[in-house]
Structures are given as C-alpha cells and as structure tokens.
Amino acid sequence: MTDSQQARNIRLTVAVVLIFITVIVAGFVYRVQQPRVMSATEMKVNGLYLFETPRNFGEISLIDHKGKPFDRARFEGKWSLVFFGFTYCPDVCPTTMAFLDQFMGELEGTEAADTQVVMVSVDPARDTVEQLGQYVPYFNPDFIGVTGEFLDIHRFATALNTPFRKVPGQDENYQVDHSSNVVLINPAGDYHGFFKAPLDLAKMKVTYRSALVHWDY
C-alpha cells in the first residue's frame, strides 16, 4: 500500500468516526429537547387523573352556540377539553375559559388542531344559543358552547362525574355550584379522565402531552 493510499484510508476512517459521533450527539440533544413523558402515577400527582379503561358516556342530544346539533360524534377524531360552567358565573368560569385559551396558545405542532375546547352550560334556562354565541367566542372563536334541555345536560354531567346544582334561596340572579375540573375526552369519544382544579398551566401542558403519547402507544 502506497503512502497516498494509506493517508486516504486514514482520512476516510476519521470521517466515518466523526459522522458517527455527530449522529450520537445529535440524537442525545434531540432526546434532551423532547418534553418528558410522565407515567400515569406522575400525571396523577400533577393533576391529571386518567382511567385505565376509558368510559363510554352514552349518547347525548344537545345544541351548540351556533344552533347546530351537538351529539357524541362531535367528540370523535379530536381530543376534547370539556368544562361545565355558565355565562352568569362571576369568577370561576371566565377565569377557566381564559386559562383554556392560554393553554391552547401553548400547544405546538398539530396539538392545537387536534384539540377542541367545549363549554357545557349548567344553566340552560338562561344560557340560550344566543347567549352562548356572545359569551364563548369572546374567549376564543374556536371554542364551542353547548346547551340543551336540563335533564339531558344533567345526565351528561353525571356520566362525566361533574356535579352541579342551583344555589337555593336566590332570585333570578341565582348562582350555580359546579365542579371546576376539566374533563378529557379522547378521539374515540370516550371519557378518558380529568384535570383536577386548581389548574396549573405548566403542569397541564406536560400531563396533556404525556396523555397523548400514551394514547399513541
């Protein structure tokens, strides 16, 4: 082997080693930059309670803030964050709706496109289609407001473990006690779990993404 051939082989070997090192380093950096995926136990500690087996909550027959039918099929194909509230709520509801708008703004890639926010009224007597049509888009034009017959909403809320009741002894300016949790419904249209209040933006981002990753498995 001539000196030139030997030098060429050495350069080739060095190049291969450098490429190998570059690939290893790039892979390490990529993994470090990826958000950590939490276990089910870690998600629970951080406020997201997931069921081992998602629950079928049955059929529903409601109406959205644009006057269109809202049934179980409206949950299929997307992840849904469902909040039960009402437009006359003085504090928890507007705070939660603003939080969910901020949360949606934090999602990356296709996460936002694959996620929808639904506010279901626990006060259908006052929350008409028109009322919801003014209230819900104020927080985000893509959010969906839902109302309907009281018994239909009550059955839906009960199936999602989200109790509510009208505060007794008040006039027409009554309040409604309700849960501040946010229900998570998976793309199959099943009750997947819930985010326990009080909500924390940083924790919810990590737990939500972890839930999506586990679903993809």
Side-chain angles (χ1 to χ4, degrees):
M1 179 181 296
T2 65
D3 290 343
S4 61
Q5 289 176 325
Q6 187 175 11
R8 187 162 54 250
N9 289 340
I10 292 174
R11 288 194 298 271
L12 180 60
T13 301
V14 171
V16 170
V17 170
L18 289 176
I19 291 173
F20 176 76
I21 293 174
T22 300
V23 170
I24 294 298
V25 172
F28 174 77
V29 171
Y30 175 79
R31 287 193 299 273
V32 168
Q33 291 177 338
Q34 294 306 298
R36 191 171 69 86
V37 177
M38 291 183 171
S39 66
T41 300
E42 289 176 315
M43 284 188 277
K44 185 175 181 179
V45 170
N46 285 278
L48 174 56
Y49 292 68
L50 296 181
F51 304 126
E52 289 188 11
T53 302
R55 304 174 183 177
N56 185 325
F57 53 80
E59 296 299 324
I60 59 173
S61 180
L62 302 171
I63 187 169
D64 70 14
H65 71 278
K66 296 182 179 180
K68 297 179 180 179
F70 190 92
D71 57 15
R72 181 187 174 85
R74 296 283 293 272
F75 288 116
E76 295 173 357
K78 285 191 173 186
W79 287 92
S80 300
L81 303 174
V82 182
F83 172 66
F84 286 80
F86 63 112
T87 65
Y88 289 83
C89 176
D91 40 39
V92 174
C93 300
T95 300
T96 303
M97 292 290 280
F99 173 90
L100 291 173
D101 175 58
Q102 184 181 8
F103 175 77
M104 290 294 289
E106 293 285 332
L107 299 183
E108 300 175 356
T110 61
E111 289 175 340
D114 293 339
T115 305
Q116 62 182 359
V117 172
V118 180
M119 174 184 151
V120 181
S121 174
V122 295
D123 182 21
R126 291 183 295 184
D127 286 344
T128 62
V129 169
E130 293 74 21
Q131 178 74 8
L132 285 175
Q134 294 178 7
Y135 183 86
V136 174
Y138 171 80
F139 296 96
N140 188 306
D142 293 325
F143 285 7
I144 302 170
V146 174
T147 188
E149 296 296 329
F150 176 82
L151 289 179
D152 292 332
I153 291 176
H154 189 271
R155 280 193 291 267
F156 184 37
T158 300
L160 299 181
N161 303 115
T162 312
F164 67 89
R165 70 179 184 89
K166 180 179 177 180
V167 177
Q170 297 183 335
D171 56 19
E172 65 276 3
N173 296 317
Y174 60 85
Q175 295 297 308
V176 181
D177 284 339
H178 61 92
S179 171
S180 300
N181 295 339
V182 172
V183 172
L184 180 63
I185 295 178
N186 63 38
D190 292 327
Y191 179 20
H192 203 73
F194 63 92
F195 295 91
K196 186 173 178 59
L199 304 174
D200 179 277
L201 185 61
K203 290 180 179 179
M204 189 167 173
K205 285 169 55 181
V206 177
T207 55
Y208 182 62
R209 286 171 177 163
S210 297
L212 268 58
V213 170
H214 283 288
W215 171 264
D216 288 339
Y217 288 160

